[in-house]
Amino acid sequence: NGGAQEVWRYHREAERLFRAQGNLSGRMRLGRDGQLQAERPPRGLVLSTGEDVPHGHSIRARLLILELEPDGMNWERLTECQRLAAEGRFATATAGFIQWLAARYPETCRQARSEVVRYREALGRATQHRRTPTNLAELLVAFRLFLAFGQDQRVLSGAETLALWGRAWSALAAVARTQTQQQVAADPVQRFMDLLLAAIASGQAHLAGRDGGIPESPAAWGWRETRLTTELRHPEWVPLGRRVGWVDADGIYLIAEAAYQAATAMAGPGQEGIHVTPTTLWRRLQERGLLACCDAERRTLKMRRVIEGRVRTVLVLQRSTLDSAADKADNEWLTPIEISMIPLSAWPTEADKEPTKPVEKPTMASVRTG
């Protein structure tokens, strides 16, 4: 809520919190004597609710974003879970799990790290960012441990365990697909393309022909047809907004600074911006293969081209870059992704061979009920 500055402040605080959690890094502080205090990295897991998603491609990669529809909640089940929580059933189950894990903690940590790598490789092709598979794999390993706890206490049968494991894989595979959509929406390259297209379509910017005149298909490049009152004169094409480059049959020649300013101007208060500097953005364009060429001898992404009789330094894009980038963003995340489920495997440890004191049956009863 509030004005643009208030909204920006909330996003800034959310980014600081989530980035510290995602990087497991604490804030550097000085004491009263000016000495650097010991860093206190986060040791928990943040579960946050809100009406908006934090801005930025990098910060979204450190999150798992779940969008809950208005009718997506089972209110009867929620009421039952609230009753069980008030009775302390969930707290008892958590305490039992911690006691069970403490007896085999060192070996389980080592085994869990290797399992995270295995699950991460299986989930790697389902997302675009490298952090997302790790986030999903760590949740799967934690759930795998809880299922092992239930089996060890003889409150989960083999069939129940396999069914829950399959549901977990299906749910997180769906999360991986929606997470890809969130990351595409915040990708700086995609945002630049979307905003530049919006500026051209709305008349805030235009591309001219290489000779400075009317380009081919002028309506697609920010020109509008105007009909004069004199019937003897033909309709004329008029450019709208600032000129951000030129276009011909060979490609698009962007005035880098003008194109960047036109794109950022389209992102108003509260909207997703580009969030990277122009230099970084041009490098991202080159990494995606969207630049038609670059100057290897001068080690620069901008090329020298003769335009309107003068040598100009421009970014050279393929003619179809703007259209293909938009189509890719619309269709890429809709493609079904097949993720092969890794079956449950035993985690034999020395601690498992030693007799452990079983936890009372009510410990897991609340889990089965809830």
Side-chain angles (χ1 to χ4, degrees), residues 172-298:
L172 291 182
V175 170
R177 287 189 287 269
T178 57
Q179 190 75 7
T180 298
Q181 180 188 7
Q182 291 282 354
Q183 292 167 1
V184 168
D187 178 36
V189 173
Q190 187 60 48
R191 286 300 294 163
F192 172 72
M193 294 296 180
D194 291 342
L195 293 172
L196 185 58
L197 281 172
I200 294 174
S202 63
Q204 303 299 314
H206 75 276
L207 297 174
R210 190 162 179 173
D211 59 355
I214 302 174
E216 182 183 356
S217 302
W221 306 112
W223 294 65
R224 295 296 181 268
E225 187 180 26
T226 60
R227 293 186 178 273
L228 300 179
T229 56
T230 304
E231 296 181 359
L232 297 178
R233 301 188 61 179
H234 296 288
E236 294 185 355
W237 287 97
V238 178
L240 302 179
R242 69 173 69 181
R243 178 173 298 180
V244 296
W246 301 266
V247 60
D248 63 7
D250 297 328
I252 298 173
Y253 311 94
L254 289 182
I255 307 171
E257 292 74 15
Y260 185 85
Q261 291 176 5
T264 54
M266 291 299 297
Q271 298 184 14
E272 185 74 47
I274 298 178
H275 302 302
V276 294
T277 62
T279 302
T280 301
L281 180 60
W282 312 145
R283 188 169 63 251
R284 299 276 181 87
L285 289 172
Q286 194 270 338
E287 292 171 354
R288 300 284 182 87
L290 298 180
L291 296 183
C293 56
C294 57
D295 195 334
E297 294 183 359
R298 296 172 55 230

